[in-house]
Amino acid sequence: MTEPNEPTDSTARTESNPSAGQFTVTPAAVEGEIDYEKLLERFGADPLTDGQIARFPDHPLLRRRTFYAGRDVDRYLEAAAAGDPHAIVTGRGPSGPMHLGHVLPLYLAKRFQRVTGATVYLPLSDDEKFLAKDQSFDAIGEHTRDNLRDILAVGFDPDRTQIVVDTADADVIYPIAVRLAKHLTPATVDAVYGDQDTVGLQFYPAVQATHLLLPQLVAGRQPTLVPIAVDQDPHVRVCRDVAAREALPVEKPGALLGRFLPSLEGPGKMSSSGDAPSIELTADPETVAETIRTHAYTGGRATLADHRENGGDPTVDVPFQYLRYFFEPDDAALERIAADYRSGELLSGELKEIAIDRITEFLSEHQHRRGELGSLEAELEPFRLPERERRRALERAGVPSPLER
Ligand code: TRP
């Protein structure tokens, strides 16, 4: 049924972890202090080797192992090095405004596209979020349009990037999802995702599997890599499983799995639904500063004297972790900050100000590009799949339109 190294029943349900306590990681929920290494055992994915990291385009997210594990990464790396076609798929569930954690895979994908010419597919699963959240299609539609602006602001190359929205591109997505769903049993869905509330949610994995195969169905067999936070790995496993069972002209997509940007209030993922505030991509500088000053968990000491004497701990300090993940790309600068913090020379409040500066700088550039965008319809047009490519995909998937023959 599944590959030997990919147990289907490998969802990290809540499990006890004596050192870190309980944690849960599923596409629907992420809770507790995550043991990232243990997750790989559970999921059957492999830690990235130094050699693999060196072969990827250089990026702090990889260099510092925020993206730390994968599946079938070598196939992708070989194609990228040889100049052969290779693709990236990373998507967005439009259930609310996008925050800092959401841009990590997007900016990583953009770098890969710049350096090796990867084709990037960006699906938006408005159907999934309608089914999973208590929101109307009107509300989800607003988030979809708002999120699209943020995705467009990243600056992908329109000649090598396709954006699809599930309900708006249903002509191509639905027939392929149906074909894949033929081999997706309720037992598999239950095992991988746990109990689903509706048949809609039970069907959705076939839709996300479609996203992951779309580059190959449109443009032919090629290594495809899916950079995502680790909670989305079950979708990759299901896709690999159903792809293997259908005689489709595709290879199994690989995965590049990332840690979560820590929540401002401490370990765990930055959540838009939980209690800890998150920093939205449209936040103005005052809001960023205020949010970090008030809420960021630090690794500083209780008193100034204690801090000067014994120093702070950057490994648990959230402002430092934000710099390390993404916002201070210069390794030497980052190392200096860590050293000054450990020695007690740099105070928690001062470290917060550094993080505020870097994040504000990043956001002001992102927001500038967002502000330059014209009407959504016009901006999106070059990123939409042309009619002939939709047909190619349906033909390759063996589901051509019944009315056009
Ligand atoms: N399911 C993802 C989420 O909830 C969004 C998503 C849809 C996605 N299609 C994808 C992510 C393909 C990666 C690849 O966030």
Side-chain angles (χ1 to χ4, degrees):
M1 217 179 97
T2 30
E3 299 171 7
N5 66 337
E6 295 185 13
T8 306
D9 187 17
S10 53
T11 311
R13 300 161 195 292
T14 304
E15 67 175 88
S16 80
N17 171 349
S19 60
Q22 304 255 305
F23 69 99
T24 309
V25 176
T26 72
V30 178
E31 281 150 20
E33 191 166 337
I34 301 160
D35 182 333
Y36 286 103
E37 270 60 44
K38 192 161 201 167
L39 266 184
L40 295 189
E41 276 165 41
R42 288 267 126 193
F43 284 174
D46 308 311
L48 293 179
T49 64
D50 291 343
Q52 287 169 331
I53 290 176
R55 287 153 69 207
F56 273 111
D58 184 42
H59 196 283
L61 284 168
L62 277 159
R63 223 162 52 221
R64 299 175 189 159
R65 292 184 186 269
T66 295
F67 280 84
Y68 75 112
R71 301 173 183 281
D72 274 353
V73 158
D74 290 325
R75 304 247 335 107
Y76 174 89
L77 287 170
E78 279 155 27
D84 294 337
H86 56 290
I88 298 268
V89 184
T90 188
R92 162 75 189 148
S95 57
M98 287 172 70
H99 59 61
L100 289 182
H102 296 132
V103 298
L104 306 183
L106 293 174
Y107 278 86
L108 187 66
K110 175 181 157 182
R111 171 68 61 84
F112 288 3
Q113 178 169 72
R114 284 259 164 95
V115 178
T116 67
T119 307
V120 175
Y121 274 67
L122 303 163
L124 277 83
S125 53
D126 59 338
D127 52 347
E128 174 192 23
K129 296 303 159 179
F130 173 73
L131 292 163
K133 308 277 169 173
D134 190 12
Q135 290 186 38
S136 67
F137 258 121
D138 272 348
I140 296 286
E142 294 242 352
H143 296 314
T144 301
R145 290 186 293 278
D146 167 77
N147 291 182
L148 280 167
R149 289 193 168 274
D150 280 314
I151 291 169
L152 290 165
V154 173
F156 290 101
D157 172 0
D159 292 338
R160 294 177 190 272
T161 307
Q162 306 290 342
I163 297 176
V164 292
V165 176
D166 284 340
T167 62
D169 293 293
D171 60 324
V172 57
I173 290 168
Y174 179 70
I176 301 171
V178 169
R179 168 137 195 211
L180 298 177
K182 183 118 180 177
H183 293 291
L184 192 58
T185 65
T188 300
V189 174
D190 284 358
V192 178
Y193 303 94
D195 262 351
Q196 298 290 319
D197 291 341
T198 63
V199 293
L201 280 172
Q202 274 203 320
F203 179 77
Y204 176 73
V207 175
Q208 192 150 331
T210 301
H211 298 158
L212 307 190
L213 298 181
L214 207 50
Q216 301 190 75
L217 293 172
V218 168
R221 195 187 287 271
Q222 57 190 283
T224 304
L225 192 67
V226 186
I228 33 165
V230 65
D231 64 327
Q232 295 292 309
D233 184 61
H235 287 296
V236 180
R237 293 202 308 275
V238 163
C239 180
R240 291 166 63 85
D241 189 27
V242 296
R245 289 202 262 155
E246 281 278 347
L248 290 170
V250 295
E251 49 182 82
K252 293 179 185 180
L256 186 58
L257 304 173
R259 299 173 211 262
F260 301 110
L261 189 67
S263 150
L264 275 181
E265 288 180 345
K269 89 165 175 173
M270 188 184 242
S271 160
S272 22
S273 34
D275 298 334
S278 48
I279 297 175
E280 295 178 4
L281 298 182
T282 51
D284 58 42
E286 294 71 43
T287 307
V288 172
E290 159 74 13
T291 308
I292 291 179
R293 284 182 197 136
T294 320
H295 295 282
Y297 179 85
T298 80
R301 302 278 175 173
T303 65
L304 180 62
D306 191 6
H307 191 92
R308 290 283 188 221
E309 169 82 20
N310 297 305
D313 180 359
T315 64
V316 299
D317 191 280
V318 172
F320 181 80
Q321 291 306 316
Y322 279 35
L323 295 171
R324 196 179 75 83
Y325 268 56
F326 191 60
F327 298 103
E328 178 47 82
D330 180 338
D331 288 348
L334 187 75
E335 200 28 66
R336 243 182 346 263
I337 294 168
D340 290 349
Y341 199 46
R342 281 199 199 91
S343 76
E345 196 181 311
L346 188 68
L347 301 177
S348 298
E350 293 166 342
L351 179 46
K352 281 184 178 179
E353 296 307 314
I354 300 174
I356 290 167
D357 279 355
R358 296 294 186 285
I359 293 170
T360 307
E361 205 178 316
F362 167 80
L363 285 180
S364 90
E365 285 165 22
H366 180 87
Q367 290 167 5
H368 176 75
R369 289 191 296 269
R370 198 186 202 269
E372 301 274 277
L373 295 170
S375 82
L376 187 59
E377 202 194 357
E379 295 288 346
L380 202 54
E381 184 53 33
F383 293 93
R384 302 203 65 194
L385 271 179
E387 192 50 41
R388 62 174 189 288
E389 299 198 347
R390 289 171 196 257
R391 279 188 208 201
R392 282 299 283 150
L394 292 171
E395 277 162 23
R396 279 208 182 83
V399 284
S401 164
L403 303 182
E404 287 173 17
R405 268 175 296 169

